Amino acid sequence: MKLKRLLQQETVLIVAILLAVISSFFVHPDRKYMDYIDFRTLAVLFSLMTVMAGLQRQGVFDRMGRALTAHTGGIFRLVLVLTGLCFFGSMMITNDVALMTFVPFTFAVLSNLREETRLRLALPVVCMQTIAANLGSMLTPIGNPQNLYLYSKSGMSIAHFIGIMFPYTMVSLILLVVWAALLCHGKKENLSSGINRTQNRTASDSPAIVALYGILFVLCLSVVAHVVPYWTALAAVLFCTFCADRITLRRVDYSLLLTFIAFFIFIGNIGRIPAFSSWLQQVLSGREVPVAVFASQVTSNVPAALLLSGFTENTEALVIGTNLGGLGTLIASMASLISYRQIAREMPQEKGRYFRMFTISNLVFLAVLLAEWAWLVGN
């Protein structure tokens, strides 16, 4: 049973380790293995994940969500706020943290509404939130792991990175607002009293710790902006968290860090196999976006970014392809599994309907954004 649970929860990590081990039979371990690993990306990723885990444990994001929904007066405004929390929140706190925080919060909010309204809104709102988190996160270098990696690898400025993804982010926002309007068309129910009665408010354990994490977050952003050395932020985060809030260190997603390391080894090894390296470079040449989108559907967009980045210099195209590739299948972005598990827990009888709704809506969004990409490239 434990093995089965491990396989289900850490499938990507296990596959990454197997690929790294298999590749090591073709390229035996040597000193160059250390050169494969991007320590800056790992350090920044760990620092950001630790800070986000700490702020989440202090209930900061939950209180922000409750404050924003406290005065919501109608269904349309409620849906916009719940979706907007994931869309805009993911830009700074990452897509997985946004979903881990605001999807359970959404169920808490909806539980105060009439049963008919709750049942009608739950699936489409969670589906919208999942898409919103994956699309909002694509705007910034810290929105998701593959952005942070590709941004660090390319050396581009933050403004340039945002400029690449801004057109797709704006179209995504318009599509989400249109979807919300269609979902709420003709529904005039007043929800203010229900929202205000939401219980189980999470209080901060310590305002001082929240302030400390706020300072550490600014320090992490300084590293992303290439203002502060990455080892400075890493040391500060480790020292401060260990001394002030060491429980948070247990909540960091270490499996993601191990997945990165395993893929670094695999990519480094296959890059030293001339036949495979040459073939993949030929496949990618001029087709980075569609190949990245396709690869993301079967491996998820983080491994796709790690794998493909070793065989093309067109990092901008990989940024677009792996971000748009987060749409589509349930595993295209691993963050999407967070929402699916929440649905399975709260509404197990609706898992199948949610999966169909998720897949269809993701494919629609993907088709529209790929059409936008083709139009932008053509012009």
Side-chain angles (χ1 to χ4, degrees):
M1 184 62 71
K2 290 183 178 180
L3 178 60
K4 181 179 179 181
R5 188 180 300 113
L6 178 65
L7 290 172
Q8 290 176 338
Q9 294 178 348
E10 303 296 348
T11 304
V12 176
L13 171 59
I14 293 171
V15 170
I17 292 174
L18 286 175
L19 290 173
V21 171
I22 292 171
S23 68
S24 68
F25 287 102
F26 296 91
V27 180
H28 296 162
D30 56 21
R31 293 181 179 179
K32 290 186 178 180
Y33 269 49
M34 292 301 294
D35 297 332
Y36 297 161
I37 300 173
D38 186 341
F39 289 103
R40 183 181 189 277
T41 296
L42 292 176
V44 176
L45 187 59
F46 170 81
S47 300
L48 282 169
M49 287 195 299
T50 303
V51 170
M52 290 302 110
L55 290 173
Q56 187 179 36
R57 199 175 84 82
Q58 296 297 317
V60 172
F61 306 132
D62 184 69
R63 290 198 305 281
M64 287 171 52
R66 294 183 188 280
L68 286 170
T69 56
H71 305 291
T72 303
I75 291 179
F76 180 57
R77 288 174 60 186
L78 173 65
V79 172
L80 284 182
V81 169
L82 292 176
T83 305
L85 284 170
C86 291
F87 185 80
F88 294 105
S90 64
M91 297 177 184
M92 298 301 291
I93 66 175
T94 74
N95 52 352
D96 54 349
V97 171
L99 291 173
M100 284 190 291
T101 301
F102 297 125
V103 171
F105 169 71
T106 294
F107 278 103
V109 170
L110 296 182
S111 67
N112 291 278
L113 308 181
R114 289 188 306 156
E115 184 176 4
E116 177 186 353
T117 303
R118 179 179 65 83
L119 293 176
R120 179 168 53 82
L121 290 179
L123 293 188
V125 169
V126 172
C127 189
M128 290 172 68
Q129 287 182 306
T130 306
I131 293 175
N134 287 329
L135 293 178
S137 66
M138 68 184 178
L139 181 65
T140 65
I142 63 172
N144 51 56
Q146 82 269 6
N147 277 4
L148 182 60
Y149 168 68
L150 293 173
Y151 167 79
S152 298
K153 180 179 176 64
S154 68
M156 67 179 74
S157 67
I158 293 179
H160 183 62
F161 187 99
I162 292 175
I164 294 171
M165 297 310 303
F166 182 76
Y168 305 99
T169 305
M170 289 305 299
V171 170
S172 301
L173 180 60
I174 293 170
L175 290 175
L176 288 166
V177 172
V178 170
W179 189 359
L182 293 174
L183 176 65
C184 304
H185 180 67
K187 306 298 187 297
K188 303 295 184 182
E189 182 178 352
N190 190 299
L191 306 175
S192 297
S193 58
I195 300 300
N196 289 329
R197 289 198 301 270
T198 301
Q199 300 296 319
N200 299 322
R201 295 177 182 271
T202 303
S204 171
D205 292 338
S206 170
I209 291 180
V210 172
L212 175 64
Y213 280 125
I215 294 171
L216 292 175
F217 181 60
V218 173
L219 184 61
C220 290
L221 292 182
S222 299
V223 175
V224 174
H226 302 286
V227 175
V228 175
Y230 74 84
W231 50 265
T232 302
L234 176 62
V237 169
L238 276 173
F239 178 78
C240 293
T241 307
F242 183 80
C243 293
D245 189 29
R246 67 184 63 181
I247 294 177
T248 292
L249 291 173
R250 302 176 190 170
R251 301 194 174 191
V252 175
D253 187 1
Y254 294 103
S255 66
L256 179 61
L257 297 175
L258 291 174
T259 300
F260 265 71
I261 293 172
F263 269 112
F264 283 146
I265 293 173
F266 171 65
I267 295 163
N269 282 340
I270 63 175
R272 292 167 65 182
I273 302 175
F276 185 87
S277 177
S278 176
W279 173 78
L280 193 51
Q281 286 176 343
Q282 290 178 357
V283 171
L284 269 177
S285 181
R287 310 180 189 90
E288 287 85 359
V289 171
V291 170
V293 170
F294 176 78
S296 298
Q297 304 309 301
V298 293
T299 67
S300 87
N301 51 5
V302 173
L306 293 173
L307 173 62
L308 301 179
S309 64
F311 303 94
T312 178
E313 297 298 321
N314 193 351
T315 308
E316 292 187 13
L318 286 186
V319 169
I320 296 171
T322 53
N323 275 300
L324 301 190
L327 297 166
T329 64
L330 187 61
I331 65 167
S333 171
M334 299 305 289
S336 300
L337 292 173
I338 296 170
S339 302
Y340 180 76
R341 288 169 182 159
Q342 190 69 27
I343 288 289
R345 185 181 301 115
E346 298 285 342
M347 307 173 70
Q349 72 282 2
E350 298 290 349
K351 286 191 301 182
R353 192 158 73 91
Y354 174 81
F355 179 77
R356 291 190 294 274
M357 180 184 297
F358 174 89
T359 303
I360 293 172
S361 55
N362 267 261
L363 291 175
V364 170
F365 272 74
L366 179 58
V368 172
L369 293 178
L370 281 176
E372 180 188 6
W373 165 74
W375 181 80
L376 289 173
V377 170
N379 289 274

